[in-house]
Amino acid sequence: MASRICLLLLVVFLAGAFAGDVIEVNKSQREFDYFALSLQWPGTYCRGTRHCCSKNACCRGSDAPTQFTIHGLWPDYNDGSWPSCCYRSDFNEKEISTLMDGLEKYWPSLSCGSPSSCNGGKGSFWGHEWEKHGTCSSPVFHDEYNYFLTTLNIYLKHNVTDVLYQAGYVASNSEKYPLGGIVTAIQNAFHITPEVVCKKDAIDEIRICFYKDFKPRDCVGSKELMSRKSCPQYVSLPEYTPLDGEAMVLKMPTEREAL
Ligand code: 5GP
Ligand code: 5GP
């Protein structure tokens, strides 16, 4: 009898283990309230580049991104807090292999570092975003593919770089722009108030927020913006000039080129 029970338990365990690589680790976090699409400004992020590697889009020389790129799609709570690492789902890049062109272009890593995954290992920027934030986007998303695909789609539907460009706010190492003007341009385009995050006076990130059905809504952090906590009244959108030699570090000659 005991051996039958053991066998049954083993079968149940194996069925669970092979049903998918999803293991619930934190059921205590309640369902999120809304999404924040966090966009990063490469001109600001890449200024901190000290060395290069192939995965870092700051190192693409003249092909380095010049528009806002995606940092992540984050499930948030209305009280300003957010859930993270909601269940164990080890990132599997194969699941999003058909999205690679879009991800490399619009959601590149701007760093050579390997961020930590929820279970303490090290992985890719995409893996970090999926495990930390994507796993908390249930019941809207249950898998990597839909999380990344939808994020790319809403990013392409809300072109913040173009909205700012049309209003005259373009990358510059000499101009300062009124924060209020930048916010107004986004309000006029999408009818919501974004959250703006600065590093000193340079815009680091702009976040636009969405209900669970992806209709735009104000971000909770936009209230902070009104009290001018994060950014000064005049802000910059720095241009990024790749460091000397970056392209060389990246461009390892192939065997044939080396001959
Ligand atoms: P930082 O301290 O650099 O603003 O944020 C560090 C990390 O905390 C972010 O990359 C992100 O993972 C998380 N984080 C910061 N602000 C928010 C937020 O408003 N919502 C969510 N979901 N995560 C955030
Ligand atoms: P978050 O701030 O989203 O919690 O964490 C982002 C993690 O990914 C950090 O460990 C950071 O070093 C790494 N990382 C890799 N590429 C990027 C990038 O392009 N932007 C940001 N913000 N973090 C990146």
Side-chain angles (χ1 to χ4, degrees):
M1 184 63 183
S3 61
R4 271 200 193 166
I5 291 172
C6 281
L7 187 66
L8 187 68
L9 287 176
L10 185 67
V11 169
V12 170
F13 169 78
L14 289 176
F18 290 108
D21 52 1
V22 175
I23 303 161
E24 295 268 318
V25 289
N26 196 344
K27 282 184 174 162
S28 60
Q29 300 185 71
R30 68 183 195 281
E31 191 178 320
F32 73 104
D33 294 319
Y34 71 96
F35 283 114
L37 176 67
S38 186
L39 305 173
Q40 48 189 3
W41 180 249
T44 302
Y45 200 101
C46 293
R47 287 194 307 186
T49 305
R50 294 288 168 265
H51 67 280
C52 265
C53 60
S54 59
K55 71 178 171 196
N56 184 346
C58 300
C59 305
R60 290 178 188 163
S62 56
D63 289 334
T66 52
Q67 79 277 45
F68 280 93
T69 56
I70 301 170
H71 179 166
L73 182 69
W74 299 343
D76 278 1
Y77 293 129
N78 285 327
D79 66 4
S81 67
W82 58 85
S84 61
C85 299
C86 288
Y87 60 85
R88 180 152 178 190
S89 169
D90 295 341
F91 179 68
N92 178 1
E93 197 168 299
K94 282 194 194 128
E95 287 185 28
I96 52 170
S97 56
T98 54
L99 305 176
M100 271 310 143
D101 288 354
L103 291 172
E104 294 282 5
K105 187 162 180 199
Y106 305 120
W107 198 337
S109 173
L110 303 178
S111 158
C112 292
S114 296
S116 50
S117 54
C118 289
N119 59 13
K122 294 272 178 200
S124 67
F125 182 41
W126 299 320
H128 172 89
E129 292 300 312
W130 163 250
E131 293 188 17
K132 180 171 181 182
H133 301 283
T135 59
C136 299
S137 59
S138 159
V140 178
F141 301 118
H142 300 280
D143 62 89
E144 280 175 37
Y145 180 78
N146 281 298
Y147 173 75
F148 285 97
L149 175 68
T150 307
T151 305
L152 286 173
N153 281 333
I154 59 163
Y155 165 84
L156 292 170
K157 241 180 107 177
H158 299 85
N159 191 334
V160 168
T161 313
D162 192 52
V163 164
L164 297 190
Y165 178 84
Q166 299 296 337
Y169 303 123
V170 295
S172 164
N173 286 333
S174 51
E175 290 293 320
K176 290 272 174 69
Y177 303 118
L179 176 63
I182 287 186
V183 170
T184 303
I186 294 172
Q187 284 172 328
N188 289 342
F190 306 130
H191 312 292
I192 49 107
T193 303
E195 185 181 354
V196 186
V197 179
C198 291
K199 260 195 194 131
K200 300 209 174 119
D201 69 2
I203 291 190
D204 189 27
E205 301 209 340
I206 290 186
R207 298 177 188 156
I208 53 174
C209 295
F210 299 88
Y211 293 103
K212 290 175 191 175
D213 61 1
F214 295 104
K215 292 209 175 78
R217 58 157 272 175
D218 290 351
C219 301
V220 167
S222 51
K223 292 194 194 90
E224 267 184 32
L225 169 85
M226 294 309 168
S227 63
R228 312 237 180 267
K229 246 176 150 179
S230 170
C231 296
Q233 237 173 324
Y234 284 85
V235 295
S236 63
L237 275 173
E239 280 178 278
Y240 170 60
T241 317
L243 298 172
D244 278 352
E246 271 183 10
M248 274 162 42
V249 174
L250 244 189
K251 214 173 164 282
M252 298 292 285
T254 60
E255 259 180 50
R256 192 182 298 169
E257 278 171 334
L259 288 175

